[in-house]
Amino acid sequence: MKDQQSLLATARAKLEDALVAKSLRRSGERFAILEEVYSRDDHFDADDLFQAMQQKAYPVSRATVYNTLEVLVDCGLVIRHHFGEEDNSKSRYEKSLGRQQHAHLVCTVCHHVKEFCDPRLHLIKTNVGNALQFNVASHSLVFYGHCTDDGCETRPDRDTSASIPTQDLSQ
Ligand SMILES: [Zn+2]
Ligand SMILES: [Zn+2]
């Protein structure tokens, strides 16, 4: 739990710097949004976040949620994903600080997202970069398909409450 606290402290400091740099108000709302984001382990969209803030009875407008997300993405505290399913093309987000680099599997039926990390991806990145004289700064890898989880076919929407353990495939 201590790790989580210090992570959050680092995240808060980073957001603070970003808000100063952008001459934006350092409002409590923005930090409450940051806290909510860092309490989650899922891949949420802006509406999920807005609804979570509503459930906390925290008076945050949709506009504040959206523009705070922009700031969080800009300063690297949140990663934005475009998981290109046709009915779900809106951006999905996840926290980035303290997370290891990972790739995603997206179920096109229930929209569940799974994660995995595999050191071979790093190897490919290095080899391709060397071969093509290219400094690879980042990458994104998404596998689309159909998960075999219970209730996948019938689940009305993705289950955003489930925390997703990142599978380590290094063995
Ligand atoms: Zn599924
Ligand atoms: Zn992820």
Side-chain angles (χ1 to χ4, degrees):
M1 223 55 232
K2 189 134 202 281
D3 281 357
Q4 181 64 21
Q5 285 306 317
S6 66
L7 201 68
L8 196 56
T10 308
R12 288 180 66 94
K14 211 166 170 182
L15 175 58
E16 180 123 19
D17 289 348
L19 292 172
V20 170
K22 288 171 186 287
S23 310
L24 290 168
R25 218 155 55 83
R26 278 168 287 163
S27 65
E29 294 165 352
R30 296 192 203 273
F31 290 97
I33 291 170
L34 175 73
E35 222 158 285
E36 169 62 26
V37 166
Y38 270 77
S39 74
R40 309 176 71 113
D41 289 311
D42 61 349
H43 305 79
F44 53 90
D45 65 33
D47 273 333
D48 294 330
L49 186 57
F50 175 65
Q51 271 157 30
M53 297 308 290
Q54 296 298 102
Q55 272 160 25
K56 289 182 190 240
Y58 203 95
V60 174
S61 73
R62 196 172 240 119
T64 303
V65 168
Y66 276 78
N67 65 42
T68 301
L69 267 176
E70 289 300 313
V71 177
L72 293 175
V73 170
D74 280 356
C75 70
L77 285 171
V78 164
I79 299 170
R80 177 190 278 127
H81 296 290
H82 300 286
F83 296 143
E85 311 125 89
E86 72 280 9
D87 64 333
N88 199 32
S89 53
K90 54 186 164 184
S91 301
R92 302 266 285 270
Y93 303 86
E94 70 178 318
K95 65 185 172 193
S96 63
L97 224 59
R99 300 288 333 270
Q100 62 189 142
Q101 163 88 255
H102 59 268
H104 296 98
L105 299 136
V106 176
C107 176
T108 53
V109 177
C110 71
H111 306 302
H112 198 145
V113 178
K114 296 184 183 201
E115 299 181 334
F116 70 93
C117 58
D118 189 324
R120 285 172 293 185
L121 291 177
H122 181 73
L123 214 60
I124 293 171
K125 201 164 73 178
T126 309
N127 289 345
V128 171
N130 288 342
L132 301 186
Q133 301 290 296
F134 193 92
N135 279 327
V136 180
S138 66
H139 77 271
S140 95
L141 175 65
V142 187
F143 292 130
Y144 296 98
H146 187 176
C147 79
T148 53
D149 296 353
D150 283 348
C152 172
E153 308 282 350
T154 52
R155 200 178 291 155
D157 199 354
R158 66 187 180 280
D159 182 0
T160 53
S161 63
S163 79
I164 22 117
T166 305
Q167 298 289 320
D168 190 338
L169 305 180
S170 50
Q171 288 355 299

